[in-house]
Short mmCIF file of all heavy atoms in Angstrom, two decimals:
data_model
loop_
_atom_site.label_atom_id
_atom_site.label_comp_id
_atom_site.label_asym_id
_atom_site.label_seq_id
_atom_site.Cartn_x
_atom_site.Cartn_y
_atom_site.Cartn_z
N ASN M 1 -6.71 -12.97 -59.61
CA ASN M 1 -6.35 -14.38 -59.44
C ASN M 1 -5.59 -14.53 -58.13
O ASN M 1 -4.38 -14.36 -58.08
CB ASN M 1 -5.47 -14.85 -60.61
CG ASN M 1 -4.98 -16.28 -60.42
OD1 ASN M 1 -5.67 -17.10 -59.83
ND2 ASN M 1 -3.78 -16.57 -60.92
N LEU M 2 -6.31 -14.81 -57.06
CA LEU M 2 -5.66 -15.00 -55.76
C LEU M 2 -5.39 -16.48 -55.53
O LEU M 2 -5.87 -17.08 -54.57
CB LEU M 2 -6.53 -14.44 -54.64
CG LEU M 2 -6.65 -12.92 -54.54
CD1 LEU M 2 -7.40 -12.53 -53.26
CD2 LEU M 2 -5.29 -12.24 -54.56
N ALA M 3 -4.62 -17.09 -56.44
CA ALA M 3 -4.22 -18.47 -56.22
C ALA M 3 -3.49 -18.59 -54.89
O ALA M 3 -3.57 -19.61 -54.20
CB ALA M 3 -3.33 -18.94 -57.37
N TYR M 4 -2.78 -17.53 -54.54
CA TYR M 4 -2.07 -17.46 -53.26
C TYR M 4 -2.61 -16.25 -52.51
O TYR M 4 -2.46 -15.11 -52.95
CB TYR M 4 -0.57 -17.33 -53.52
CG TYR M 4 0.29 -17.16 -52.30
CD1 TYR M 4 -0.03 -17.76 -51.08
CD2 TYR M 4 1.46 -16.41 -52.36
CE1 TYR M 4 0.78 -17.60 -49.97
CE2 TYR M 4 2.30 -16.25 -51.26
CZ TYR M 4 1.95 -16.84 -50.07
OH TYR M 4 2.74 -16.68 -48.97
N MET M 5 -3.27 -16.48 -51.39
CA MET M 5 -3.92 -15.41 -50.63
C MET M 5 -3.13 -15.08 -49.37
O MET M 5 -2.74 -15.98 -48.63
CB MET M 5 -5.35 -15.83 -50.26
CG MET M 5 -6.17 -14.69 -49.66
SD MET M 5 -7.89 -15.19 -49.31
CE MET M 5 -7.72 -15.89 -47.67
N ASP M 6 -2.92 -13.81 -49.16
CA ASP M 6 -2.24 -13.34 -47.94
C ASP M 6 -2.84 -12.00 -47.54
O ASP M 6 -2.42 -10.95 -48.02
CB ASP M 6 -0.73 -13.22 -48.19
CG ASP M 6 0.02 -12.64 -47.00
OD1 ASP M 6 -0.59 -12.48 -45.93
OD2 ASP M 6 1.22 -12.33 -47.14
N ILE M 7 -3.84 -12.06 -46.69
CA ILE M 7 -4.53 -10.86 -46.24
C ILE M 7 -4.39 -10.76 -44.72
O ILE M 7 -4.81 -11.66 -44.00
CB ILE M 7 -6.02 -10.88 -46.62
CG1 ILE M 7 -6.17 -10.99 -48.15
CG2 ILE M 7 -6.73 -9.63 -46.10
CD1 ILE M 7 -7.60 -11.19 -48.61
N ARG M 8 -3.79 -9.68 -44.25
CA ARG M 8 -3.68 -9.45 -42.81
C ARG M 8 -4.94 -8.68 -42.40
O ARG M 8 -5.00 -7.46 -42.52
CB ARG M 8 -2.41 -8.67 -42.48
CG ARG M 8 -1.16 -9.16 -43.20
CD ARG M 8 -0.74 -10.55 -42.80
NE ARG M 8 0.26 -11.12 -43.69
CZ ARG M 8 1.58 -11.03 -43.50
NH1 ARG M 8 2.06 -10.36 -42.48
NH2 ARG M 8 2.41 -11.61 -44.34
N PHE M 9 -5.96 -9.42 -41.97
CA PHE M 9 -7.27 -8.83 -41.75
C PHE M 9 -7.28 -7.76 -40.67
O PHE M 9 -8.08 -6.83 -40.72
CB PHE M 9 -8.28 -9.93 -41.43
CG PHE M 9 -8.63 -10.76 -42.62
CD1 PHE M 9 -7.95 -11.95 -42.88
CD2 PHE M 9 -9.62 -10.36 -43.49
CE1 PHE M 9 -8.27 -12.72 -44.00
CE2 PHE M 9 -9.94 -11.12 -44.61
CZ PHE M 9 -9.25 -12.29 -44.86
N SER M 10 -6.40 -7.89 -39.70
CA SER M 10 -6.34 -6.87 -38.64
C SER M 10 -4.97 -6.93 -37.98
O SER M 10 -4.17 -7.83 -38.23
CB SER M 10 -7.43 -7.09 -37.60
OG SER M 10 -7.06 -8.09 -36.66
N ASN M 11 -4.73 -5.94 -37.12
CA ASN M 11 -3.47 -5.92 -36.37
C ASN M 11 -3.65 -6.45 -34.95
O ASN M 11 -2.77 -6.27 -34.10
CB ASN M 11 -2.89 -4.50 -36.32
CG ASN M 11 -3.72 -3.55 -35.46
OD1 ASN M 11 -4.93 -3.77 -35.25
ND2 ASN M 11 -3.12 -2.48 -34.96
N LEU M 12 -4.78 -7.11 -34.70
CA LEU M 12 -5.05 -7.65 -33.38
C LEU M 12 -3.97 -8.68 -33.01
O LEU M 12 -3.78 -9.67 -33.71
CB LEU M 12 -6.43 -8.31 -33.34
CG LEU M 12 -6.86 -8.92 -32.00
CD1 LEU M 12 -7.02 -7.83 -30.95
CD2 LEU M 12 -8.16 -9.70 -32.16
N CYS M 13 -3.28 -8.43 -31.92
CA CYS M 13 -2.22 -9.34 -31.48
C CYS M 13 -2.08 -9.25 -29.97
O CYS M 13 -2.23 -8.18 -29.37
CB CYS M 13 -0.89 -8.98 -32.16
SG CYS M 13 0.41 -10.20 -31.82
N ASN M 14 -1.78 -10.38 -29.35
CA ASN M 14 -1.63 -10.45 -27.91
C ASN M 14 -0.20 -10.21 -27.45
O ASN M 14 0.06 -10.08 -26.25
CB ASN M 14 -2.11 -11.81 -27.39
CG ASN M 14 -1.37 -12.97 -28.03
OD1 ASN M 14 -1.16 -12.99 -29.24
ND2 ASN M 14 -0.98 -13.96 -27.24
N LEU M 15 0.75 -10.14 -28.39
CA LEU M 15 2.14 -9.90 -28.03
C LEU M 15 2.62 -8.55 -28.57
O LEU M 15 2.00 -7.97 -29.46
CB LEU M 15 3.05 -11.00 -28.59
CG LEU M 15 2.75 -12.46 -28.21
CD1 LEU M 15 3.87 -13.37 -28.70
CD2 LEU M 15 2.54 -12.62 -26.71
N LYS M 16 3.73 -8.09 -28.02
CA LYS M 16 4.37 -6.87 -28.53
C LYS M 16 5.87 -7.14 -28.66
O LYS M 16 6.66 -6.88 -27.77
CB LYS M 16 4.07 -5.67 -27.63
CG LYS M 16 4.08 -5.91 -26.14
CD LYS M 16 3.60 -4.67 -25.39
CE LYS M 16 3.54 -4.92 -23.89
NZ LYS M 16 3.06 -3.72 -23.15
N CYS M 17 6.20 -7.71 -29.81
CA CYS M 17 7.56 -8.19 -30.07
C CYS M 17 8.50 -7.02 -30.35
O CYS M 17 8.10 -6.00 -30.91
CB CYS M 17 7.55 -9.15 -31.25
SG CYS M 17 6.40 -10.53 -31.04
N ARG M 18 9.75 -7.19 -29.99
CA ARG M 18 10.74 -6.12 -30.12
C ARG M 18 10.89 -5.63 -31.55
O ARG M 18 11.12 -4.45 -31.79
CB ARG M 18 12.09 -6.60 -29.59
CG ARG M 18 12.18 -6.68 -28.08
CD ARG M 18 12.37 -5.31 -27.45
NE ARG M 18 12.23 -5.34 -26.00
CZ ARG M 18 12.89 -4.52 -25.18
NH1 ARG M 18 13.72 -3.63 -25.66
NH2 ARG M 18 12.68 -4.59 -23.88
N SER M 19 10.79 -6.53 -32.53
CA SER M 19 11.01 -6.13 -33.92
C SER M 19 9.72 -5.69 -34.60
O SER M 19 9.71 -5.46 -35.81
CB SER M 19 11.63 -7.30 -34.69
OG SER M 19 10.82 -8.45 -34.61
N CYS M 20 8.63 -5.57 -33.84
CA CYS M 20 7.33 -5.20 -34.41
C CYS M 20 6.97 -3.78 -34.01
O CYS M 20 7.80 -2.99 -33.57
CB CYS M 20 6.27 -6.21 -33.97
SG CYS M 20 4.75 -6.16 -34.94
N GLY M 21 5.70 -3.41 -34.17
CA GLY M 21 5.23 -2.09 -33.83
C GLY M 21 3.72 -2.04 -33.91
O GLY M 21 3.06 -3.05 -34.19
N PRO M 22 3.11 -0.87 -33.68
CA PRO M 22 1.64 -0.78 -33.58
C PRO M 22 0.89 -1.06 -34.88
O PRO M 22 -0.29 -1.37 -34.83
CB PRO M 22 1.41 0.66 -33.11
CG PRO M 22 2.64 1.41 -33.51
CD PRO M 22 3.76 0.42 -33.39
N LEU M 23 1.56 -0.97 -36.03
CA LEU M 23 0.88 -1.26 -37.29
C LEU M 23 0.47 -2.72 -37.38
O LEU M 23 -0.58 -3.05 -37.93
CB LEU M 23 1.77 -0.87 -38.47
CG LEU M 23 1.18 -1.07 -39.87
CD1 LEU M 23 -0.08 -0.21 -40.05
CD2 LEU M 23 2.20 -0.73 -40.95
N PHE M 24 1.31 -3.62 -36.84
CA PHE M 24 1.03 -5.05 -36.91
C PHE M 24 0.69 -5.68 -35.57
O PHE M 24 0.44 -6.87 -35.50
CB PHE M 24 2.22 -5.78 -37.54
CG PHE M 24 2.40 -5.48 -39.00
CD1 PHE M 24 3.35 -4.59 -39.42
CD2 PHE M 24 1.57 -6.07 -39.94
CE1 PHE M 24 3.50 -4.29 -40.77
CE2 PHE M 24 1.72 -5.78 -41.29
CZ PHE M 24 2.68 -4.89 -41.70
N SER M 25 0.71 -4.88 -34.51
CA SER M 25 0.34 -5.40 -33.20
C SER M 25 -0.41 -4.34 -32.40
O SER M 25 0.16 -3.32 -32.01
CB SER M 25 1.57 -5.85 -32.40
OG SER M 25 1.21 -6.15 -31.07
N SER M 26 -1.68 -4.62 -32.15
CA SER M 26 -2.49 -3.70 -31.34
C SER M 26 -1.91 -3.56 -29.93
O SER M 26 -2.04 -2.51 -29.29
CB SER M 26 -3.93 -4.19 -31.27
OG SER M 26 -3.98 -5.54 -30.80
N SER M 27 -1.25 -4.61 -29.44
CA SER M 27 -0.66 -4.56 -28.09
C SER M 27 0.49 -3.57 -27.99
O SER M 27 0.84 -3.14 -26.89
CB SER M 27 -0.19 -5.96 -27.68
OG SER M 27 -1.28 -6.84 -27.53
N TRP M 28 1.08 -3.21 -29.13
CA TRP M 28 2.19 -2.26 -29.15
C TRP M 28 1.71 -0.82 -28.99
O TRP M 28 2.49 0.08 -28.66
CB TRP M 28 2.96 -2.39 -30.46
CG TRP M 28 4.38 -2.83 -30.34
CD1 TRP M 28 4.90 -4.05 -30.69
CD2 TRP M 28 5.48 -2.07 -29.85
NE1 TRP M 28 6.26 -4.09 -30.45
CE2 TRP M 28 6.64 -2.88 -29.94
CE3 TRP M 28 5.62 -0.78 -29.34
CZ2 TRP M 28 7.90 -2.44 -29.54
CZ3 TRP M 28 6.89 -0.34 -28.94
CH2 TRP M 28 8.00 -1.18 -29.04
N PHE M 29 0.44 -0.57 -29.27
CA PHE M 29 -0.06 0.79 -29.41
C PHE M 29 0.24 1.66 -28.18
O PHE M 29 0.81 2.75 -28.28
CB PHE M 29 -1.56 0.76 -29.69
CG PHE M 29 -2.15 2.10 -30.04
CD1 PHE M 29 -2.21 2.53 -31.35
CD2 PHE M 29 -2.65 2.94 -29.04
CE1 PHE M 29 -2.75 3.76 -31.68
CE2 PHE M 29 -3.20 4.17 -29.35
CZ PHE M 29 -3.25 4.59 -30.68
N ASP M 30 -0.16 1.20 -27.00
CA ASP M 30 -0.01 2.01 -25.79
C ASP M 30 1.46 2.29 -25.48
O ASP M 30 1.81 3.40 -25.05
CB ASP M 30 -0.68 1.33 -24.61
CG ASP M 30 -2.20 1.28 -24.76
OD1 ASP M 30 -2.75 2.07 -25.56
OD2 ASP M 30 -2.84 0.43 -24.10
N ASP M 31 2.33 1.29 -25.67
CA ASP M 31 3.76 1.52 -25.45
C ASP M 31 4.29 2.59 -26.39
O ASP M 31 5.08 3.46 -25.99
CB ASP M 31 4.55 0.22 -25.68
CG ASP M 31 4.45 -0.73 -24.51
OD1 ASP M 31 3.68 -0.44 -23.56
OD2 ASP M 31 5.12 -1.78 -24.53
N HIS M 32 3.88 2.52 -27.64
CA HIS M 32 4.35 3.49 -28.63
C HIS M 32 3.91 4.91 -28.27
O HIS M 32 4.68 5.87 -28.39
CB HIS M 32 3.83 3.11 -30.02
CG HIS M 32 4.56 3.76 -31.14
ND1 HIS M 32 4.33 5.05 -31.54
CD2 HIS M 32 5.54 3.30 -31.97
CE1 HIS M 32 5.11 5.36 -32.56
NE2 HIS M 32 5.85 4.32 -32.84
N VAL M 33 2.67 5.06 -27.80
CA VAL M 33 2.16 6.37 -27.40
C VAL M 33 2.97 6.91 -26.22
O VAL M 33 3.34 8.09 -26.19
CB VAL M 33 0.66 6.28 -27.04
CG1 VAL M 33 0.19 7.56 -26.36
CG2 VAL M 33 -0.17 6.01 -28.28
N GLN M 34 3.27 6.05 -25.26
CA GLN M 34 4.04 6.50 -24.09
C GLN M 34 5.46 6.91 -24.47
O GLN M 34 6.02 7.85 -23.90
CB GLN M 34 4.09 5.39 -23.04
CG GLN M 34 2.76 5.16 -22.34
CD GLN M 34 2.89 4.19 -21.18
OE1 GLN M 34 3.64 4.43 -20.23
NE2 GLN M 34 2.16 3.08 -21.26
N MET M 35 6.03 6.24 -25.47
CA MET M 35 7.40 6.55 -25.85
C MET M 35 7.51 7.75 -26.79
O MET M 35 8.44 8.54 -26.71
CB MET M 35 8.05 5.33 -26.51
CG MET M 35 8.35 4.20 -25.55
SD MET M 35 9.37 2.90 -26.30
CE MET M 35 8.29 2.27 -27.56
N TYR M 36 6.54 7.88 -27.69
CA TYR M 36 6.66 8.89 -28.75
C TYR M 36 5.52 9.91 -28.78
O TYR M 36 5.55 10.83 -29.59
CB TYR M 36 6.77 8.20 -30.11
CG TYR M 36 7.95 7.28 -30.20
CD1 TYR M 36 7.78 5.89 -30.18
CD2 TYR M 36 9.26 7.77 -30.26
CE1 TYR M 36 8.87 5.02 -30.25
CE2 TYR M 36 10.35 6.91 -30.32
CZ TYR M 36 10.14 5.55 -30.31
OH TYR M 36 11.22 4.70 -30.38
N GLY M 37 4.51 9.73 -27.92
CA GLY M 37 3.47 10.74 -27.82
C GLY M 37 2.24 10.49 -28.67
O GLY M 37 1.15 10.92 -28.32
N SER M 38 2.40 9.81 -29.79
CA SER M 38 1.24 9.57 -30.66
C SER M 38 1.55 8.45 -31.64
O SER M 38 2.71 8.04 -31.80
CB SER M 38 0.88 10.84 -31.45
OG SER M 38 1.93 11.20 -32.33
N VAL M 39 0.51 7.97 -32.29
CA VAL M 39 0.61 6.98 -33.36
C VAL M 39 -0.27 7.49 -34.49
O VAL M 39 -1.40 7.93 -34.25
CB VAL M 39 0.12 5.58 -32.90
CG1 VAL M 39 0.18 4.57 -34.04
CG2 VAL M 39 0.96 5.08 -31.73
N PRO M 40 0.21 7.44 -35.74
CA PRO M 40 -0.57 8.02 -36.84
C PRO M 40 -1.73 7.16 -37.34
O PRO M 40 -2.11 7.24 -38.49
CB PRO M 40 0.49 8.20 -37.94
CG PRO M 40 1.48 7.11 -37.67
CD PRO M 40 1.53 6.98 -36.17
N HIS M 41 -2.29 6.33 -36.46
CA HIS M 41 -3.44 5.52 -36.84
C HIS M 41 -4.14 5.03 -35.59
O HIS M 41 -3.66 5.22 -34.46
CB HIS M 41 -3.01 4.33 -37.71
CG HIS M 41 -1.95 3.46 -37.11
ND1 HIS M 41 -2.18 2.61 -36.04
CD2 HIS M 41 -0.64 3.29 -37.42
CE1 HIS M 41 -1.08 1.97 -35.72
NE2 HIS M 41 -0.13 2.37 -36.54
N LYS M 42 -5.28 4.40 -35.77
CA LYS M 42 -6.05 3.88 -34.64
C LYS M 42 -5.34 2.69 -34.00
O LYS M 42 -4.45 2.10 -34.60
CB LYS M 42 -7.43 3.44 -35.13
CG LYS M 42 -8.28 4.53 -35.75
CD LYS M 42 -9.62 3.99 -36.25
CE LYS M 42 -9.45 3.04 -37.41
NZ LYS M 42 -10.77 2.61 -37.98
N LYS M 43 -5.78 2.34 -32.79
CA LYS M 43 -5.19 1.19 -32.11
C LYS M 43 -5.52 -0.11 -32.84
O LYS M 43 -4.64 -0.94 -33.08
CB LYS M 43 -5.68 1.12 -30.66
CG LYS M 43 -5.07 -0.04 -29.87
CD LYS M 43 -5.43 0.04 -28.39
CE LYS M 43 -4.73 -1.06 -27.60
NZ LYS M 43 -4.98 -0.93 -26.15
N PHE M 44 -6.79 -0.27 -33.20
CA PHE M 44 -7.22 -1.50 -33.88
C PHE M 44 -7.48 -1.19 -35.35
O PHE M 44 -8.31 -0.33 -35.67
CB PHE M 44 -8.48 -2.06 -33.21
CG PHE M 44 -8.24 -2.51 -31.80
CD1 PHE M 44 -8.66 -1.73 -30.73
CD2 PHE M 44 -7.59 -3.70 -31.53
CE1 PHE M 44 -8.43 -2.13 -29.42
CE2 PHE M 44 -7.35 -4.11 -30.22
CZ PHE M 44 -7.77 -3.33 -29.16
N LEU M 45 -6.76 -1.88 -36.20
CA LEU M 45 -6.85 -1.64 -37.64
C LEU M 45 -7.50 -2.82 -38.34
O LEU M 45 -7.32 -3.97 -37.94
CB LEU M 45 -5.45 -1.42 -38.22
CG LEU M 45 -4.66 -0.23 -37.67
CD1 LEU M 45 -3.24 -0.27 -38.19
CD2 LEU M 45 -5.32 1.09 -38.03
N LYS M 46 -8.25 -2.54 -39.40
CA LYS M 46 -8.85 -3.56 -40.24
C LYS M 46 -8.43 -3.31 -41.68
O LYS M 46 -8.18 -2.17 -42.08
CB LYS M 46 -10.37 -3.53 -40.14
CG LYS M 46 -10.93 -3.95 -38.78
CD LYS M 46 -10.96 -5.46 -38.65
CE LYS M 46 -11.73 -5.92 -37.42
NZ LYS M 46 -11.77 -7.39 -37.33
#
């Protein structure tokens, strides 16, 4: 019963906000790799 639907279909995002990260923003991915060496998932998530 999805009377209330909330599905984050992807992490595609054009911003990289300070309180966010690569899980919810694809734009964060490259910064995270440069700072920490790796990310435990793909850049673009579905």
Side-chain angles (χ1 to χ4, degrees):
N1 176 32
L2 289 187
Y4 176 33
M5 189 177 86
D6 176 8
I7 301 173
R8 315 295 168 92
F9 288 93
S10 81
N11 69 336
L12 181 65
C13 188
N14 58 316
L15 303 188
K16 40 187 177 181
C17 305
R18 285 282 170 149
S19 57
C20 196
L23 182 61
F24 291 101
S25 171
S26 55
S27 294
W28 243 108
F29 188 90
D30 293 340
D31 282 6
H32 198 280
V33 169
Q34 289 188 59
M35 289 190 295
Y36 301 107
S38 65
V39 178
H41 55 72
K42 299 178 293 185
K43 182 172 184 175
F44 295 102
L45 300 172
K46 292 280 190 179

